[in-house]
Amino acid sequence: MERVLNKAIKIKEHLNEQYIEIKKDDFKDACVYLYEEKHAILRLMFATDERQIDGVFRIYAVFSIPGIDRFFIIVLPLKEDDTTFPSITPDIPTAHWYEREIKDMFGLTPKGHSDLRRLVLHDSFPTNSHPLRKDWNITESDLKEWGEGIKQKEPYKFMEVEGDGVYEIPVGPVHAGIIEPGHFRFSAVGETIFFLEPRLFYTHKGTEKHFESMRLFDGVRLAERVSGTSSFSHSAAYCMAVERIAGIEITEKAKAIRTLLLELERLYNHIGDIGNMCAGTALQVGYANGAIIKEKLMQLNERLTGSRYLRGVNVIGGVTKDVFLQSNDILSTIDTVTREYKEFMKLLLGSVSHIDRLENTGMLSKEIAQKLGITGVAARASGINDDIRKAHPHLLYDMLEFEAHTMARGDVLARMMVRAEETECSISIINTLLESNYAGALAAGINDIPAYSSSLGYAETPRGPVFYWVMSDKDGKLFRVKLRSPSYCNGPAVPFAVHGNIVPDFPLCNKSFNLSYSGCDM
């Protein structure tokens, strides 16, 4: 690390976060050094508008090195009259969406990036309008055209594939059924997919901008509504970030409750996802069985917390409910679910037609997964041993015995089997947690929030790790919140996974990644 630290113009330490501020000429070299020499993972990358503090924008690139519970955060200040920064995408492909998003939302241009088309903002959004700048505003005429979406101010040009027998199949953004909007443009030869270009970000809700109008303690309610399937993970990560800013140490009991509910959230999602994959192979009995078991777990959630999605439990400083008072209900339900889950998996693994469709379908190599920064179940199914519960232990995970499950196949079957292994792991963790008593109150006392302080919060959701980077302002409100969902990392993997597959296998392949399109779109 000396090579990077020697070039620092400012270094700040905060818990397991090391902020290394660096000059523009050294930014790319520092990032590439961490990536290539230290095999660091780019966890997230974002910008802030800190002009009202010290007159600059800042780019933050957050890395972690496998085996080290520490985040190395390369920080680049940019003055308002020089809004370009060296793109790291040519060397670190993981950065390609992050840099395009920074250009859209802040007007900071990654110099050397090969694709500067808009990512988040669509065609009718006003030119030179960057919503996450603090002084952003929009004219009445722009607002009307934007809302009606009539005038294309920056038309989006899809990539074109030419050659004998190549034809295009446009799908979406509006789909049959209750799924999110997303456009998929296939270039196919016969039934075989030669190239796929997806376009997402049709559901931009301005979540990060909305955070900036809220008090830190109120932000938890917004965080737990970012993703229905990962409500508890999002609120846990957000609370963790604010608690780290305020120096709040939550009690052992609060840690145990959060750990238990994170595993319950993983459990109902994984079993539901395994069932959903059956819809892609027309194994309806499998789809129905997965839905029945998932429903039993969601009803347990409601009995424990009053919310099927585990909302309303996390608060800054701890939790509001002692779910261990209902241990007998949890144990009884988990026993029933465990028996039914084993029968469910026996059914699936014994269905030759189902397994045949999963094997060798939607293969994603470890090499491509690493370059794209794929995370969570999708990464582990391609042989990448990365689980934020092990990489950066938090709550009670450092006291629990479990391993991250990986497979080398990288196909749809591997993504199902990693979920299956993790389901059994979550059942074991839940049973272990219920064997002990935990000391302390539900919530710790609240400290003052220091002005313009920041910290990371994180959790391993059923899809993969979610990160929150939270910064306070001088009045106890949120100055900036960057949240990064696992779907944001995994969306770019789908075109690589479906290459060479037949078009009818796309839904199956897509379900195996279980992306949330709106979960990308903050």
Side-chain angles (χ1 to χ4, degrees), residues 90-107:
D91 298 282
I92 309 175
T94 310
H96 70 306
W97 269 20
Y98 292 117
E99 292 187 339
R100 288 172 66 189
E101 182 184 35
I102 288 170
K103 179 175 178 290
D104 282 3
M105 306 308 284
F106 288 89

Side-chain angles (χ1 to χ4, degrees), residues 455-501:
S455 194
L456 284 167
Y458 37 87
E460 183 76 23
T461 79
R463 292 186 172 103
V466 61
F467 281 89
Y468 277 73
W469 184 86
V470 176
M471 184 176 187
S472 62
D473 73 2
K474 59 183 174 53
D475 300 317
K477 290 185 177 180
L478 291 161
F479 183 80
R480 171 84 170 103
V481 173
K482 174 60 191 175
L483 74 93
R484 195 234 65 195
S485 74
S487 293
Y488 186 92
C489 299
N490 293 346
V494 176
F496 290 89
V498 301
H499 175 72
N501 288 246

